[in-house]
Amino acid sequence: MTNTKNHSGKMALVTGGNRGIGLETARQLAELGFTVLIGVRDLAKGEAAASKLGGKVEPIALDVATPDAAARAAAEVERRFGRLDILVNNAAIHYDPSARALRPDWSVIREAFETNVFGAWRVAAAFAPLLGVSGHGRLVNVSSEGGSLASMGAGAPAYSTSKATLNALTRILAAELRGAGVLVNAICPGWVATDMGGPGGRPVAQGAAGIVWAATLPDDGPTGGFFRDGKRLPW
Ligand SMILES: NC(=O)c1ccc[n+]([C@@H]2O[C@H](COP(=O)([O-])OP(=O)(O)OC[C@H]3O[C@@H](n4cnc5c(N)ncnc54)[C@H](OP(=O)(O)O)[C@@H]3O)[C@@H](O)[C@H]2O)c1
């Protein structure tokens, strides 16, 4: 899955980029030569995170759960850079494996959808015109096998239904952006040792590698698919 082409002059945006898989994805993209914006809720945290990475990485204010934030961030990127080549919708919350759908906690379910679905949706809609300008845009929705209908069972109701909806959105966006040359895929990073994943998962570098693969696909690469480690997953 290694991509060694140099991408200097191209721009990437990773939401939820100040820690975990998002931060590692930003690091790997910067290593490939991309200028990387990490979307963050707290600019001070973002600056601290960016300063730890090599390459050109800088934070941009983007709380995906705030309705106007995506449009504001897109206007800033357009004004300052005039392009976006890669968008990684990574920010997500509320992995709730011990919760049950029959005892719904509506505030958790609503918050999960606001960030994991509507957040990613608003960001995609706001940045789609800039991805179109690229001519080779790539949109990666960081999903989870927990959102796969094929393997879905009891538990994690907020998280799993939000990721299943994100997968549906991936299919629709792939179809709507096909004509603009933008490839859109959903990627499961696997179980990764982060604040969300907890201890015992695989290293972040491995989880992020599958995201970077989808973010740097060649023009004849797949679109509208669901992958982990470059291999198709059942919907
Ligand atoms: N870890 C796993 O095992 C695993 C497995 C499958 C899929 N995934 C997916 O991989 C992605 C990254 O997960 P992770 O394990 O790296 O999670 P994490 O360690 O909990 O990090 C989540 C990141 O998202 C940010 N975030 C949360 N809400 C936000 C909002 N409203 N606006 C902007 N940023 C927001 C957080 O920022 P703050 O620091 O401000 O909170 C943080 O940077 C998620 O989409 C997750 O569902 C993870």
Side-chain angles (χ1 to χ4, degrees):
M1 292 203 313
T2 317
N3 186 316
T4 50
K5 195 173 155 194
N6 190 290
H7 297 277
S8 72
K10 292 192 190 163
M11 298 289 310
L13 168 63
V14 182
T15 69
N18 60 289
R19 60 187 165 97
I21 295 166
L23 180 61
E24 174 61 19
T25 300
R27 191 193 67 73
Q28 292 186 18
L29 289 171
E31 205 169 74
L32 290 173
F34 288 94
T35 297
V36 185
L37 301 172
I38 52 174
V40 298
R41 319 194 244 200
D42 178 336
L43 275 175
K45 275 197 210 168
E47 264 145 31
S51 71
K52 285 190 238 144
L53 303 186
K56 293 185 215 140
V57 181
E58 65 169 279
I60 182 167
L62 179 46
D63 179 340
V64 303
T66 302
D68 297 337
R72 273 200 303 272
E76 183 182 336
V77 172
E78 181 167 22
R79 180 175 53 75
R80 291 186 53 208
F81 304 100
R83 66 185 291 158
L84 187 71
D85 302 282
I86 292 173
L87 169 61
V88 180
N89 267 322
N90 167 79
I93 54 168
H94 290 341
Y95 179 55
D96 57 341
S98 53
R100 289 293 176 269
L102 290 173
R103 291 190 298 280
D105 182 334
W106 294 115
S107 66
V108 168
I109 295 163
R110 285 204 174 89
E111 283 171 14
F113 270 75
E114 198 61 51
T115 294
N116 305 358
V117 178
F118 305 138
W121 195 333
R122 282 190 288 257
V123 173
F127 282 93
L130 284 173
L131 289 173
V133 167
S134 160
H136 310 273
R138 305 289 178 259
L139 201 174
V140 183
N141 287 328
V142 181
S143 184
S144 164
E145 196 173 11
S148 168
L149 297 176
S151 55
M152 205 168 281
Y159 188 77
S160 297
T161 58
S162 72
K163 292 297 191 182
T165 310
L166 181 66
N167 285 355
L169 179 66
T170 301
R171 300 281 295 172
I172 294 170
L173 292 175
E176 292 191 8
L177 285 167
R178 194 183 287 270
V182 181
L183 304 180
V184 186
N185 290 290
I187 299 297
C188 170
W191 175 31
V192 179
T194 60
D195 295 335
M196 180 186 280
R202 58 189 189 159
V204 277
Q206 244 179 304
I211 297 168
V212 171
W213 169 80
T216 56
L217 284 169
D219 287 346
D220 62 354
T223 191
F226 186 25
F227 299 89
R228 181 170 58 226
D229 298 334
K231 297 186 186 74
R232 279 192 193 272
L233 286 174
W235 291 108

